[in-house]
Amino acid sequence: MTSINDVTTIEKDGNISIITLNSPPVNALSAPVREGLHKGITEARNDGESEAIIIICEGRTFIAGADISEFGQEPKGPSLFEVQEFIEDSNKPVIAAIHGTALGGGLEVALTCHYRIAVPSAKCGLPEVNLGLLPGAGGTQRLPRVVGVEKALQMVTSGQHIPAKQCLEMGLVDEIAAEDGLREGSINFAKKIVSENRPLVKISEMNDKVEAARGNENIFTDFRASIARRARGFLAPEYNIQCIEAAVNNSFDEGIKIERKLFMELVTGTQSAAQRYAFFAQRQVAKIPDIEPDTEIKPFSSIGVIGAGTMGGGISMNFANVGIPVTIIEQSQENLDKGLGIIRKNYENTANKGRITFEDVEKRTNLIKGSTDINDLSNCDLIIEAVFENMDLKKDIFKTLDNIAKKGAILATNTSALDVNEIAAQTSRPEDVIGLHFFSPANVMRLLEIVRGEKTSKSVVATSMKMAKSIGKVAAVVGVCPGFVGNRILAQRQREANKLILEGAMPWEVDDALFDFGFPMGPFAMSDLAGLDIGWDEDLSTGDTLRDKLCEAGRLGQKTGKGFYIYDEKRNKSPDTEVEKLIIEFSEKHQIKRREISKEEILERCLYPMINEGFKILEEGMAIRASDIDIVWINGYGWPMYEGGPMFYGQLIGYDKILKWHKEMEEKFGSDFSPSPYLEKVVNEKINLFG
Ligand code: 3HC
Ligand code: NAI
């Protein structure tokens, strides 16, 4: 075996050359990997005795794509295009031997090889769209030539990783090797190709499938319509479609030029910068600086949940979904039956949509046992309290848990605002107490805020992180403060939205501005969905707030057919003159002079204070890093991924501009707009939050 560079070796098995890449963690196509491939192929091509060349990888995966961290930097070494051309033009067959994932540039390299062999567990995909990109190394031109236009459209716009067996059926791979015999299998496959004198298949020259789609515009019109909803606001899906269109309507070389041009537009734009940032932020959030990798992980193989209401039910489903048994406690048999009934119904609805089988429904519901006796939790590894948001009640429950839970069990609260330290102080073991703030619907929403109390042990935090990963959540560790990170920032937006409608905007104008920014819905549509009467009491209503007025008028939101909006029987919303009248009267009564409010002002008023609050959170150490705040907002509140989250967006706008805006607003309207001292510091000292 000869070393080509730090990440590449070459060796021979008989007349077969084997180039092995070893660039952990994922063999991304960094400059050394490209260089290694280029030199390795050169050597093998020049070796008069070599009859075929295999490209294989060490470690967990085949090449998982271009090195994302290299984007935006001066290119070094041979370009990917040069490497690919060199592979495709080889005078002897080149075979990609795939395990793990062949993704993005990795699959694009494999598609320039003449053959591909994969182990059954391998997956192939072009996930660039998730980074706001398109496959920029010929992928959009080669893929449809192999799998056809429809499948190619689906793959490039979803970024889906396709299992090897399906790849074989689609023609993306030519052979499946034994799971633990890729090297041997690929050598045998190479020998077979040589002995059968099989041709050097160049995908770039295979035109049948793209030509078959030429002139059929409906494919693209229908496809665009089918993804319109999930692609709203994103540039990359449309650009990917245009590239596939280019493959259909142009020669390969022309198509490559179009792909290149569109790729460059995306890679230099802010959407992709935001999405690439989010990719790394999502991995960074799992790293807790003071928690060493060897921190003890406690077991979490039996779960207790207290309260079978909205949250308790959803939380339980997360565990049952991955085969972990749950015991739910309710205060009465009636509530328990109701809660368990809702869980079953949710599962049945999912099965009716074909997402799980009816067998799964039985398996999962069987894993969730109900009880009205809290002592039944005495053997649980992790107990999550999800009763009403009432401090006295939660305190009582934690006192009881202290008496009944086994030693070392994790005691968690799902409170959305109460002081986790105060709750922990009810027990003799505050080091075992933590906040696990799930979001509603808890079985669907990906975010979990892990609220680390003053005394919570590292082991409990580390276990909570591991548990979150095992149930498919994105977890962010946050500190104890009112609203933690997510809701604390949300409160800023809500306050300004409420003020804006009294100053002159209508709820639908505020909602439209935020919807157009990229949120799935605005604050008033959201209130209607949740119910305006959450926390409202008819007997205590004074009519002092607009919410009181709306609730008193029976406008409780979607459930009563009207709230801030009026709804038809299909729950489509429309603006309502009655609400307009109520709001105008309310402004007059409180002597608030109404005026025209622009969309731009709505966005500034709603979004800038959120960014300022983010700085306060960082200053107080309630989030570990700015990117964690962004991850909370992307995963928990629908901040559009292509805007990167409030802190990233703030940087795009310019923190200096946001500071200036706050100072001016503070002078005119007071302390709601007082800038965070940390924002001032960051601006004055030019601190890079993401460095
Ligand atoms: N570039 C640079 N670093 C990468 C990377 C890439 N393409 N893919 C993964 N990494 C890094 C991660 O940041 C992480 O680093 P860390 O340990 O320091 O946090 C490490 O590799 C491991 O990644 P994961 O934690 O995600 O590991 P998993 O095993 O869970 O997942 C994976 C592995 C499925 C390969 C996943 O990392 C992934 O989806 N990667 C991105 C794949 C991708 O998008 N490829 C396309 C890139 S763009 C491109 O190719 C353009 C081309 O068309 C020109
Ligand atoms: P809920 O009212 O739907 O459910 C609470 C359940 O707890 C009820 O079924 C009630 O019977 C039960 N319960 C009350 N006392 C009990 C006791 N002593 N023993 C056993 N069960 C008891 O409330 P929801 O919405 O599920 O909220 C629960 C907690 O989750 C609250 O702390 C809330 O702040 C928090 N939360 C709520 C979110 C939401 O969107 N609903 C989001 C995130 C957190």
Side-chain angles (χ1 to χ4, degrees), residues 306-312 329-331 335 385-389 393-394 397 414-416 437-440:
I306 311 176
T310 310
M311 294 308 289
I329 305 298
E330 253 297 343
Q331 51 184 344
N335 287 357
E385 165 278 310
V387 301
F388 306 127
E389 187 77 335
L393 175 61
K394 292 201 194 260
I397 289 193
N414 181 49
T415 178
S416 35
H437 184 212
F438 288 83
F439 286 70
S440 183

Side-chain angles (χ1 to χ4, degrees), residues 49 76 92 103 118 120 131 134 172 191 251 267 277 320-321 333 338 352 473 476 582 587 607 618 622 657 683:
E49 284 169 11
K76 276 192 250 151
K92 48 196 91 172
L103 298 178
L131 300 169
L134 54 87
L172 253 187
K191 286 182 179 159
S251 67
V267 80
Y277 157 79
N321 292 348
Q333 190 61 42
K338 188 173 159 212
N352 284 329
K473 300 289 178 203
L582 260 175
S587 298
L607 303 181
L618 288 175
M622 294 297 150
K657 184 174 166 195
V683 171

Side-chain angles (χ1 to χ4, degrees), residues 272-312:
S272 175
Q275 288 177 257
R276 275 159 15 222
Y277 157 79
F279 174 86
F280 287 114
Q282 193 114 326
R283 279 147 186 86
Q284 190 79 357
V285 73
K287 294 170 187 153
I288 317 301
D290 68 325
I291 295 188
E292 300 75 27
D294 59 354
T295 304
E296 183 206 351
I297 300 292
K298 291 166 172 267
F300 52 91
S301 49
S302 60
I303 309 293
V305 172
I306 311 176
T310 310
M311 294 308 289

Side-chain angles (χ1 to χ4, degrees), residues 48-120:
E49 284 169 11
S50 171
E51 291 183 305
I53 308 165
I54 294 170
I55 301 173
I56 194 166
C57 292
E58 289 282 347
R60 68 217 250 197
T61 179
F62 188 74
I63 306 165
D67 187 337
I68 306 166
S69 60
E70 271 186 4
F71 290 137
Q73 291 177 14
E74 256 327 281
K76 276 192 250 151
S79 74
L80 190 48
F81 271 107
E82 283 173 63
V83 175
Q84 287 177 296
E85 223 170 62
F86 213 54
I87 295 173
E88 199 168 43
D89 289 345
S90 164
N91 52 355
K92 48 196 91 172
V94 184
I95 297 141
I98 302 171
H99 77 293
T101 44
L103 298 178
L107 180 57
E108 290 173 296
V109 165
L111 288 173
T112 51
C113 294
H114 306 102
Y115 294 95
R116 287 154 297 282
I117 178 168
V119 294

